[in-house]
């Protein structure tokens, strides 16, 4: 249980936050589903998750700051503009939630901005989140999460303005 | 828990890179324009929903118990 309520939580079923002028959204450009559970479409909808199959991961050696490369990969992108908090010099703690079903095949995401790679992040089996600390909110920004390996589920993005 | 720091400098660089890509890459610009249209629709829908919820809450408060 968290002692602080999230400012917003973006999930597959609830991908938009808007409290004018603050806005955040989540897009998914390519995820997978199988004919059987828990990776079938109905189960994924019910559990409010996206599924990424390791066979369709992107090549981690390409530069995904380039749209021509990025558009051929499977990725999530979040557009975040919290300009209403900028004057108060607030920061954002952003939690990326995930599940990894197999200990032998950890997930991997490349976290990108439009300018380049921020972090090549392993999604470890038994773990379920990682944290992004956003230093400044006086500009809107995009964060891309490219599916770069392993089999994993995306659960959501929660933002805490602090 | 793994922690990734995103600095103000990185956000500024990303803003510049995006502006540059919008100028240079027609396909990216089309994609972004389409996304912005979606976002305007989503914002309008969300604002209308919030207005409706507020009005419903006000009506509920006004009802005699």
């Amino acid at each position: 249980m968290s002692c602080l309520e999230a400012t917003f939580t973006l999930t597959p079923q609830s991908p938009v936050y808007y409290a004018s002028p603050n806005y955040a959204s989540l897009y998914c450009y390519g995820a997978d589903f199988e004919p059987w559970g828990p990776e079938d479409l109905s189960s994924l909808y019910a559990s409010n998750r996206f599924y990424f199959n390791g066979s369709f991961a992107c090549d981690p050696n390409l530069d995904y700051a380039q749209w021509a490369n990025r558009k051929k990969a499977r990725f999530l992108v979040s557009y975040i503009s919290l300009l209403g908090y900028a004057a108060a010099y607030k920061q954002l703690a952003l939690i990326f939630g995930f599940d990894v079903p197999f200990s032998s095949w950890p997930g991997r995401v490349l976290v990108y901005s439009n300018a380049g790679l921020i972090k090549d992040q392993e999604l470890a089996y038994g773990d379920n989140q990682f944290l992004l600390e956003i230093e400044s909110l006086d500009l809107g920004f995009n964060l891309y999460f490219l599916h770069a390996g392993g089999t994993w589920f995306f659960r959501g993005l929660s933002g805490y303005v602090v | 828990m793994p922690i990734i720091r995103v600095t103000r400098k990185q956000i500024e660089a990303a803003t510049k890179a995006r502006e540059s890509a919008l100028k240079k890459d027609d396909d990216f610009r089309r994609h972004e324009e389409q996304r912005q249209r979606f976002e305007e629709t989503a914002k309008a829908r969300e604002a209308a929903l919030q207005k409706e919820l507020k009005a419903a809450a006000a009506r509920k408060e006004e009802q005699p118990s």
Side-chain angles (χ1 to χ4, degrees):
Chain A
M1 193 176 118
S2 168
C3 60
L4 184 66
E5 198 175 326
T7 308
F8 63 83
T9 295
L10 308 174
T11 68
Q13 288 188 30
S14 179
V16 176
Y17 158 76
Y18 181 51
S20 182
N22 302 312
Y23 178 77
S25 61
L26 172 74
Y27 288 70
C28 175
Y29 292 114
D32 302 297
F33 61 93
E34 313 282 7
W36 51 83
E39 295 94 357
D40 65 293
L41 191 57
S42 299
S43 302
L44 290 166
Y45 183 82
S47 64
N48 199 9
R49 299 186 298 177
F50 289 132
Y51 165 64
F52 293 94
N53 182 316
S55 299
F56 306 104
C58 68
D59 175 354
N61 300 307
L62 297 180
D63 175 11
Y64 293 101
Q66 304 301 319
W67 171 245
N69 291 334
R70 193 163 69 239
K71 73 177 189 177
K72 291 177 191 160
R74 292 177 183 193
F75 67 97
L76 301 161
V77 53
S78 186
Y79 296 88
I80 299 174
S81 177
L82 301 172
L83 302 181
Y85 295 105
Y89 300 104
K90 296 279 190 181
Q91 300 188 337
L92 180 70
L94 193 63
I95 301 277
F96 182 101
F98 61 89
D99 286 324
V100 176
F102 307 118
S103 58
S104 57
W105 209 5
R108 185 176 178 186
V109 292
L110 305 178
V111 182
Y112 263 82
S113 75
N114 283 97
L117 180 67
I118 295 173
K119 182 81 191 291
D120 181 346
Q121 180 63 51
E122 182 182 278
L123 308 180
Y125 175 75
D127 204 353
N128 59 13
Q129 56 190 27
F130 66 82
L131 169 67
L132 292 123
E133 290 181 351
I134 314 295
E135 191 180 74
S136 170
L137 298 178
D138 55 359
L139 288 168
F141 57 93
N142 311 338
L143 285 172
Y144 301 93
F145 303 94
L146 288 110
H147 169 41
T151 289
W152 57 282
F153 298 93
F154 169 77
R155 299 185 66 93
L157 265 183
S158 285
Y160 298 81
V161 173
V162 290
Chain B
M1 174 173 34
I3 299 175
I4 300 169
R5 291 194 168 81
V6 182
T7 64
R8 191 181 197 289
K9 221 174 194 180
Q10 283 174 308
I11 296 171
E12 283 171 354
T15 303
K16 280 183 190 160
R18 180 175 177 274
E19 283 166 4
S20 168
L22 286 171
K23 281 180 196 159
K24 286 182 196 160
D25 187 333
D26 290 345
D27 189 43
F28 179 59
R29 191 175 56 250
R30 272 194 297 272
H31 168 76
E32 287 291 273
E33 284 170 355
Q34 188 187 40
R35 180 184 66 75
Q36 276 166 12
R37 280 197 296 276
F38 288 154
E39 302 219 336
E40 291 313 314
T41 308
K43 281 180 185 174
R45 197 185 302 136
E46 194 65 26
L49 184 68
Q50 283 171 17
K51 202 174 165 187
E52 209 172 284
L53 288 172
K54 264 189 195 168
R59 279 197 301 273
K60 205 175 173 187
E61 267 186 19
E62 281 169 14
Q63 275 177 1
S65 53

